[in-house]
Each structure stands twice: as C-alpha cells, then as structure tokens.
Amino acid sequence: MTIGLIAGTGFEHFEALEVADRLSLSTPWGDPSGPLLRGHLGEAPVLYLARHGKGHALAPHDINYRANIAALKEAGATAILAVYTVGGITAPTWQPGTLVIPHQLIDYTWGRAQSYSLEGDVIHVDFTEPYDAKLRAALCTAAAPVQAAAALPLVEEGVYAAVQGPRLETAAEVDRLERDGATIVGMTGMPEAGLARELDLPLAALGLVVNPAAGRGQVSLPEIMAAAEAGRGRIMAVLADAVAALNAS
Ligand code: HPA
C-alpha cells in the first residue's frame, strides 16, 4: 500500500517526510497543484501533495482536483489520507484544536470540475459512504493518544460541509449547514473525495478545527493561524502512526 497524503492550509512543508524525489507530473486533466513528493514517513512509502501549491497560491476553487487525484494514482498511490482545516459548527467540534474524522459529507461547491466522466462515457460511482472505514479506523486509533496527551477533543464522526469559499460563511449559512446535519465546514473536501472514488482510491480525512464557524464564537485571523500552527505537530504524528499501521496491515 502506498498512501497519498494531501494537505492544505498550514502544510506546505511536511517536515516529518523523508523525501526521495519530486515528481513533476502532467495529466490528461492538466497539472497538479505542484510536484508530488515521493518518500517515506517512518518506514512507510508515501506520496505527498500540497493542495494549495507553492506559497499557498491556489484558492480552493482554483485547485485542479482532477489533476491532483489523477497524478497521485499515476504515481502509484493506492489510498489517500487528506487533511482538512475546518470550522467547527456543533459542540464539541467548535473548539480550536479538536480533531474530527468525518464519516459523511455534503457538497455545496459549484463550478468545479467534479468528474472524470467523458462525453459518452459517464461515470456514476456509489458514494453512499464517502470515507473509507479501514482508513478512518486507522486515523481514529492514531489520533486518540495524540489528542489525549494534548488534552484536546477527538471526535470520531462528523459530517463535513464542503463549501465554495473563498469567503467564510454568513451566520445564516452556517445555521443552514447545521440544520442540514453538518458538524464541520471547509472548502476543499469536494470534489476531491468524489474524484478519488471515481479512480477507486479509498480516502479518509483528518479535520483540524481552527475556528468556530460563523456565528459560533468570535475568532480573529491570528487566532486561526495560531490554531493551524499548533495543530501541525499533532497532525503529523497522527498521520505517521496511521500510515505505519496501514502499511503493516
Ligand atoms: N468555513 C469554511 N472553511 C473553513 C473554515 C470556516 O469557518 N475554517 C477553516 N476552513
């Protein structure tokens, strides 16, 4: 198993990774966000892609999700672990520093190329369970001691609302997301997860709460950046443990 790691805000660099080479791939769908870093996390082979590209240049709606997933597949990834930075909608997920392993999602994005379907060859994948159970279990097991050591919550289920952005939501929009059943909100989870399903790549995600969503508490941009920065070490530790366990299984 070779895990593809995709991470976003706060993760342009992934210090824990031992990089062997950088793959600059081009796909029939265009170019991915940047080079794929091929290397090892501990003993386990991994491929790493920074979702927003160099210098965080790509806004969520400008990311070429099709190229990203196709490039990971082409480079040999057999599963994907994605990192999301999210706003927390419902207690206890609104506390910054909380880790959430979503089990469901709702897609509110629009205007993004969301399928590998071609004219005359339309793909209709089953997406009842968008996140892979085995990968989720590995993330939950790895995250429990890391969060316990930091005295921060781990929420082992969540409904991820993928919104268009790049602006944050109004309070009424977040109220609607909550009524819909969403517990966390971010901008990059779709079409990423749907495309991975189309290419038969199991995917699970680790959500780091960096702010209470709109209307759920006051947070400043510096506080959001601080929460993202404070979560980096824990995210890397969780991914390293999860990847090691999956590699050994
Ligand atoms: N809303 C949408 N996306 C986000 C948020 C938010 O509050 N926080 C981090 N990503």
Side-chain angles (χ1 to χ4, degrees):
M1 176 180 269
T2 298
I3 305 269
L5 301 171
I6 307 179
T9 307
F11 280 91
E12 200 185 317
H13 304 289
F14 202 92
E15 295 86 342
L17 201 67
E18 242 180 82
V19 180
D21 52 4
R22 294 167 167 266
L23 309 175
S24 293
L25 299 181
S26 193
T27 80
W29 313 97
D31 294 342
S33 298
L36 301 190
L37 306 187
R38 181 159 52 191
H40 283 83
L41 196 51
E43 304 275 288
V46 293
L47 291 154
Y48 177 73
L49 179 62
R51 195 189 274 119
H52 294 280
K54 199 167 182 326
H56 205 275
L58 297 170
H61 59 281
D62 287 328
I63 292 168
N64 188 338
Y65 295 95
R66 286 195 298 191
N68 285 355
I69 300 296
L72 283 167
K73 177 97 179 178
E74 190 183 324
T78 53
I80 293 178
L81 295 179
V83 178
Y84 304 154
T85 48
V86 297
I89 297 176
T90 52
T93 65
W94 61 43
Q95 183 186 340
T98 301
L99 288 182
V100 185
I101 322 274
H103 70 294
Q104 274 295 333
L105 65 79
I106 305 176
D107 186 8
Y108 300 90
T109 67
W110 48 270
R112 303 182 182 188
Q114 60 191 11
S115 174
Y116 294 106
S117 293
L118 296 170
E119 212 179 309
D121 183 15
V122 180
I123 307 166
H124 293 290
V125 285
D126 181 87
F127 205 41
T128 311
E129 301 293 339
Y131 296 109
D132 180 79
K134 183 175 164 199
L135 297 177
R136 286 190 67 249
L139 286 175
C140 289
T141 304
V146 172
Q147 288 298 88
L152 286 165
L154 166 66
V155 182
E156 298 195 351
E157 286 201 333
V159 179
Y160 174 90
V163 297
Q164 179 70 356
R167 66 164 176 82
L168 296 170
E169 300 69 44
T170 66
E173 285 170 339
V174 173
D175 289 344
R176 177 180 74 141
L177 299 179
E178 181 166 12
R179 285 195 301 274
D180 284 354
T183 60
I184 52 176
V185 54
M187 300 176 189
T188 53
M190 283 297 284
E192 192 170 87
L195 291 164
R197 178 63 54 87
E198 285 193 356
L199 294 192
D200 212 13
L201 288 169
L203 177 147
L206 184 57
L208 170 67
V209 177
V210 294
N211 62 284
R216 304 297 185 270
Q218 289 277 315
V219 175
S220 65
L221 195 59
E223 282 172 302
I224 291 179
M225 297 318 280
E229 189 55 37
R232 281 177 55 82
R234 284 182 289 118
I235 297 268
M236 280 192 274
V238 173
L239 290 178
D241 287 357
V243 163
L246 290 164
N247 192 48
S249 70

